[in-house]
Amino acid sequence: MSLNVQEIKSFLPSDKPYKRYDSGGLYLLVKPNGSKLWQFKYRFGGIEKKMPFGAFPEIGLAEARKRRDRARISVADGIDPMRERKREKAKIRLGAENTFAVVANSYIEHKMVGEGRAEATLKKARWFLELLTPAIGNMPLDDLDPQMMLAALKKLEARGNLETAKKCRSFSSRVFRYGAALGLCKSDPTAILQGALITPKARHYAAILEPDKLGQLLRAIDDFECYPVTKLALKIAPHIFVRPGELRHGDWSELDWDKAIWTIPAGKMKARRTHAVPLSRQVLELFRELHSVTIGTGYMFPAFHTWKRPMSENTINASFRRMGFTKDEMTAHGFRSTASTLLNESGLWHPDAIERALAHGDSNAIRGTYNRGQY
């Protein structure tokens, strides 16, 4: 006889668990503590198995029978319902562990850090993740499709952040390729989105390109009153053409006083190649002066309040503004454009030598290898 609800409610606990059968392999297990648990008994591959369906009354009689019927259909189709349930649970658990945010963090902390990427590059990658997290951070990597990714990127675009949206797409693409390599997703849904985003207009860093105006800037730097480390950064920067981040993160251990060379390790360089900066006697003297006003170890250009952090990325640009040069006239990065323009116009230097001084690699990898020490 099949069970009915009133009968189930009347079952009282005993010293030992006991079973009360319904039909089709479904039964109720009544335990000494009073709990009543639905179970389904079936045979698969010649082996008797049991599958729990939950507790009564949370799972009613009608719902228990529905679950039994679905399980019986699976068995008839040659599918083990218990194994399928475990697989689904594992998939859900794996999805929670492999959300976009989790995989992106793994990509940054394991791959990018492991490859020795510059701290500025890591900081930017973490920022991209921070921007994307509200929209897709908690979604399993394999559930994300091109439309979801486009919607997330379009939100950034709508704020006018065209370049940021483009770079977030590129960052997401690297995360998906990393995830695919680990078997966490099948493909990169951002691959087809390149043409779907608005292409930002190229933006160039403001730079002084006229010799007379450059002279005005250099004289303004000489007359500028500020923190000694800032003053020396402003005086050294025009001599060596490095990027602002490379300048700020310079370490005294990288400078060879005898050979007058500052060797910036690959991990701090944009192109991931070690860069040697020859130092003229004038700039070497400036570095000696800088050495005397710092603790002489760690950062060459420490922050004002602590030796443990580098100078702020805004320090040099803020100094230009205080000197009266607007953001459309000159920037810290602009010294590289100034150097490239005036050195090339002078006709005194081989173009390849100028490119090496700017840490621009050879487009031909083999030629770049042979030309490495030529200049």
Side-chain angles (χ1 to χ4, degrees):
M1 293 290 292
S2 299
L3 298 173
N4 61 62
V5 175
Q6 290 303 320
E7 187 180 11
I8 294 171
K9 288 179 178 178
S10 70
F11 294 147
L12 299 175
S14 180
D15 294 338
K16 294 182 180 181
Y18 64 90
K19 301 174 185 177
R20 290 294 180 262
Y21 287 88
D22 183 57
S23 61
L26 178 67
Y27 66 89
L28 195 70
L29 177 66
V30 182
K31 304 190 77 173
N33 64 2
S35 61
K36 301 169 182 179
L37 308 176
W38 291 111
Q39 295 203 339
F40 168 59
K41 183 171 69 174
Y42 66 101
R43 295 186 72 84
F44 191 86
I47 300 172
E48 185 176 289
K49 296 190 173 187
K50 297 175 184 177
M51 184 176 183
F53 285 161
F56 179 87
E58 287 81 5
I59 303 297
L61 177 58
E63 177 60 27
R65 287 171 175 169
K66 287 180 183 178
R67 295 186 181 194
R68 173 203 62 193
D69 293 342
R70 287 197 295 267
R72 285 169 63 86
I73 291 171
S74 294
V75 172
D77 290 340
I79 299 170
D80 183 346
M82 192 62 192
R83 182 178 295 176
E84 191 65 19
R85 177 192 280 181
K86 288 179 179 178
R87 184 181 290 114
E88 286 301 315
K89 285 185 176 179
K91 185 178 179 182
I92 292 170
R93 186 172 61 252
L94 188 65
E97 294 170 355
N98 294 325
T99 61
F100 181 86
V102 169
V103 178
N105 263 315
S106 175
Y107 169 73
I108 294 169
E109 302 305 328
H110 295 132
K111 191 168 192 305
M112 295 183 72
V113 172
E115 291 176 348
R117 296 297 185 93
E119 186 55 41
T121 303
L122 297 174
K123 183 179 179 182
K124 192 163 286 187
R126 293 183 183 110
W127 180 58
F128 293 150
L129 173 56
E130 187 180 322
L131 291 174
L132 291 165
T133 293
I136 61 170
N138 293 324
M139 298 189 68
L141 204 66
D142 202 33
D143 287 354
L144 289 164
D145 59 28
Q147 288 70 38
M148 292 177 187
M149 291 305 304
L150 183 60
L153 295 169
K154 282 291 185 182
K155 286 182 180 178
L156 298 175
E157 202 176 70
R159 299 176 203 157
N161 302 328
L162 305 185
E163 185 67 30
T164 300
K166 177 185 172 184
K167 289 182 177 179
C168 280
R169 189 212 67 81
S170 179
F171 170 73
S172 300
S173 179
R174 295 195 296 276
V175 171
F176 281 110
R177 293 200 302 271
Y178 173 76
L182 296 178
L184 306 178
C185 62
K186 298 179 182 66
S187 61
D188 171 16
T190 68
I192 63 172
L193 299 181
Q194 285 180 298
L197 296 173
I198 299 171
T199 303
K201 294 180 180 179
R203 185 186 67 181
H204 299 287
Y205 293 101
I208 290 172
L209 305 179
E210 303 82 27
D212 288 346
K213 194 165 184 179
L214 177 61
Q216 293 174 23
L217 173 62
L218 297 179
R219 286 189 292 275
I221 290 173
D222 282 343
D223 295 336
F224 187 53
E225 293 185 5
C226 61
Y227 177 49
V229 172
T230 303
K231 177 73 169 262
L232 287 162
L234 288 164
K235 295 181 79 170
I236 289 171
H239 288 265
I240 53 179
F241 328 145
V242 296
R243 297 176 181 87
E246 294 156 7
L247 182 77
R248 294 190 306 109
H249 288 90
D251 193 284
W252 285 115
S253 63
E254 298 160 1
L255 198 151
D256 188 321
W257 296 98
D258 295 330
K259 293 181 180 178
I261 291 178
W262 173 18
T263 303
I264 306 176
K268 293 182 179 181
M269 296 299 299
K270 181 179 180 180
R272 326 308 309 159
R273 288 190 296 268
T274 301
H275 180 51
V277 184
L279 306 176
S280 66
R281 57 183 173 78
Q282 294 94 333
V283 78
L284 199 60
E285 188 57 39
L286 290 171
F287 269 115
R288 287 196 182 94
E289 186 179 346
L290 179 65
H291 193 267
S292 70
V293 299
T294 66
I295 62 173
T297 59
Y299 291 115
M300 295 173 176
F301 302 94
F304 180 76
H305 295 293
T306 176
W307 304 103
K308 296 180 180 180
R309 288 202 307 269
M311 181 173 65
S312 166
E313 60 185 331
N314 297 318
T315 299
I316 291 180
N317 283 335
S319 297
F320 288 150
R321 306 304 158 253
R322 287 171 58 197
M323 288 182 225
F325 294 88
T326 69
K327 64 180 182 179
D328 296 321
E329 290 180 292
M330 189 59 186
T331 58
H333 202 286
F335 274 131
R336 291 169 57 77
S337 296
T338 301
S340 179
T341 300
L342 297 184
L343 289 170
N344 275 295
E345 285 181 354
S346 73
L348 299 174
W349 308 98
H350 194 291
D352 282 354
I354 298 170
E355 289 300 289
R356 295 307 173 277
L358 292 165
H360 290 161
D362 200 303
S363 58
N364 181 312
I366 296 175
R367 181 171 179 263
T369 300
Y370 284 106
N371 283 350
R372 183 170 177 176
Q374 193 170 351
Y375 306 105

